[in-house]
Amino acid sequence: MKVACIQMNIILGEPDQNYEIAQKNIIEAANHQADTIVLPEMWNTGYALDQLDELADKNGEKTIEMLTSLAKTYHVNIVGGSVATKKNGQFFNTMYVVDRFGNITAEYDKAHLFKLMDEHKFMSAGQKVNIFELDGITCGGVICYDLRFPEWIRTHALKGANIMFIPAEWPKKRIDHWQLLLQARAIENQMFVVAVNRVGADQNNEFNGHSMVIAPWGELLVHDQTDAGIFYAQLDLQEIDRVRKTIPIFQDRRPELYFE
């Protein structure tokens, strides 16, 4: 699988401009023969949380229309990062995943809301795991702060996820944690991790990218990118089996000892 990471500068509170930027980048990545294209977190609005009533995508309609049309037209899978949505009178941080035939294969609301960026004051938390298939490959997807909960990533691994997609708005001041946690999640779960962060700034934070693609043994296939752009990696999915046979952690687990 060839993945494309769209590391974009999100314009705070300007969804029309952000949809235009995202669409342009998706088309460019598709023209470079990407199989799966990944966007960052909250790319439609940024963290304009106090404006969600007017800015959030109602029932994800605009996002779904754009992503499904592009996926079908260019025959690509799209992990739609996440967008601010309004559903049943509540606001969510929502990931949509679309396969190359234009089918919605997953809809996931961020499970762990980040209090340092006031998400809990404006948004509701998701209540379910996010397992889906792309091109016959079992994948998982979580969002930003979810990364800090290893048991949540392990839950997805135990349900068969071979690739974990993690869109984020991870601030520059904690970017060292970003890399360390991503590598740890890849190594401890023996999976590929495709993590896409944004660049730019909002009223409270600066973002410096460092989108990453990490192999199951911990190798960095994409890293250290700090500018807006599209970054590509080829995933050798046979590596997952090779690593899991070398160190069979899933066979050696002792769940009866955990969480007492």
Side-chain angles (χ1 to χ4, degrees):
M1 177 185 285
K2 182 178 180 179
V3 296
C5 305
I6 296 178
Q7 185 167 280
M8 62 183 276
N9 185 354
I10 299 165
I11 303 171
L12 185 69
E14 296 292 343
D16 289 343
Q17 294 182 56
N18 290 321
Y19 279 100
E20 184 177 342
I21 294 167
Q23 177 170 296
K24 179 181 176 182
N25 279 280
I26 290 169
I27 293 171
E28 180 180 340
N31 287 333
H32 280 79
Q33 287 74 54
D35 295 300
T36 301
I37 300 168
V38 190
L39 291 159
E41 180 186 20
M42 292 279 283
W43 59 263
N44 64 335
T45 62
Y47 269 80
L49 298 180
D50 58 352
Q51 302 177 59
L52 289 180
D53 196 45
E54 57 184 285
L55 297 179
D57 188 8
K58 186 176 180 181
N59 296 319
E61 292 172 359
K62 182 172 183 177
T63 304
I64 291 170
E65 180 181 4
M66 186 183 88
L67 296 184
T68 55
S69 175
L70 289 169
K72 188 183 299 184
T73 298
Y74 292 94
H75 200 58
V76 293
N77 305 306
I78 303 174
V79 177
S82 74
V83 292
T85 60
K86 183 177 183 179
K87 298 182 284 188
N88 298 318
Q90 296 178 291
F91 300 109
F92 295 89
N93 186 339
T94 305
M95 174 191 293
Y96 294 103
V97 180
V98 186
D99 70 16
R100 60 175 76 246
F101 304 103
N103 302 308
I104 299 289
T105 64
E107 177 179 339
Y108 168 75
D109 298 320
K110 187 176 184 179
H112 301 89
L113 300 180
F114 191 46
K115 293 181 180 179
L116 285 182
M117 292 175 74
D118 289 337
E119 274 189 302
H120 66 297
K121 296 180 180 178
F122 297 92
M123 308 185 100
S124 299
Q127 303 295 325
K128 62 181 183 179
V129 298
N130 187 27
I131 294 290
F132 52 92
E133 284 201 0
L134 293 176
D135 296 339
I137 303 160
T138 303
C139 304
V142 298
I143 301 171
C144 200
Y145 189 45
D146 286 333
L147 172 63
R148 288 189 180 270
F149 298 86
E151 60 270 46
W152 191 228
I153 311 300
R154 175 55 59 87
T155 296
H156 288 76
L158 292 173
K159 290 182 178 293
N162 293 305
I163 306 172
M164 182 63 69
F165 295 97
I166 308 178
E169 288 203 32
W170 198 284
K172 178 180 179 180
K173 58 190 173 184
R174 292 185 293 276
I175 204 68
D176 289 347
H177 290 189
W178 168 251
Q179 177 168 336
L180 290 167
L181 291 168
L182 288 170
Q183 284 188 279
R185 299 295 92 86
I187 293 167
E188 69 196 8
N189 293 294
Q190 299 176 325
M191 58 168 53
F192 282 97
V193 170
V194 180
V196 179
N197 196 26
R198 64 162 294 186
V199 295
D202 61 20
Q203 70 272 44
N204 296 313
N205 293 287
E206 182 180 358
F207 305 91
N208 66 337
H210 288 81
S211 296
M212 308 186 80
V213 179
I214 306 169
W217 203 248
E219 301 97 330
L220 301 174
L221 306 181
V222 170
H223 64 106
D224 291 341
Q225 304 289 349
T226 58
D227 297 320
I230 307 173
F231 308 104
Y232 301 90
Q234 191 77 40
L235 309 188
D236 176 7
L237 296 168
Q238 293 181 355
E239 185 175 354
I240 297 167
D241 286 337
R242 291 195 293 267
V243 170
R244 291 181 178 179
K245 287 176 181 177
T246 301
I247 303 180
I249 61 170
F250 289 97
Q251 296 177 36
D252 294 340
R253 292 178 70 249
R254 298 188 61 194
E256 72 276 8
L257 301 181
Y258 309 153
F259 305 112
E260 288 186 355

